[in-house]
Amino acid sequence: KPCPLCDEAKEVLEPYTKRFILQEVDITLPENSAWYDKYKYDIPVFHLNGKFLMKHQVDIQKFEDQLMKLELQND
């Protein structure tokens, strides 16, 4: 479905896509009902490496900081 906030977030994250894998989850699908119940009023929601990071808009500084920490751990 149209999601302008999701589209905006993907645009902001585009320059980083070589450093992480973006996995989109459609929370309206029956198999994602737990996500829907939790986040139906808070899209988009961002998790990094399985942990909640932020919601509604990309906080690029927070994202960069957490991505850098994750990369340093994996080196």
Side-chain angles (χ1 to χ4, degrees):
K1 297 179 182 180
C3 177
L5 294 174
C6 300
D7 294 339
E8 180 182 319
K10 287 188 281 188
E11 191 174 306
V12 171
L13 294 173
E14 176 63 31
Y16 299 91
T17 56
K18 291 186 183 341
R19 296 172 59 192
F20 76 103
I21 297 169
L22 177 65
Q23 179 183 358
E24 294 181 57
V25 176
D26 182 347
I27 65 171
T28 64
L29 297 176
E31 62 268 24
N32 297 324
S33 62
W35 290 113
Y36 181 81
D37 292 341
K38 189 170 187 173
Y39 295 123
K40 61 186 164 197
Y41 301 116
D42 290 314
I43 60 169
V45 175
F46 308 90
H47 289 82
L48 185 61
N49 205 31
K51 295 181 181 178
F52 173 81
L53 184 60
M54 58 195 152
K55 61 185 175 182
H56 301 164
Q57 291 183 314
V58 175
D59 177 336
I60 202 66
Q61 189 61 56
K62 183 175 189 174
F63 174 74
E64 286 179 350
D65 291 347
Q66 293 302 310
L67 184 59
M68 182 71 72
K69 283 182 187 176
L70 192 59
E71 290 171 336
L72 291 172
Q73 288 175 357
N74 292 331
D75 281 347

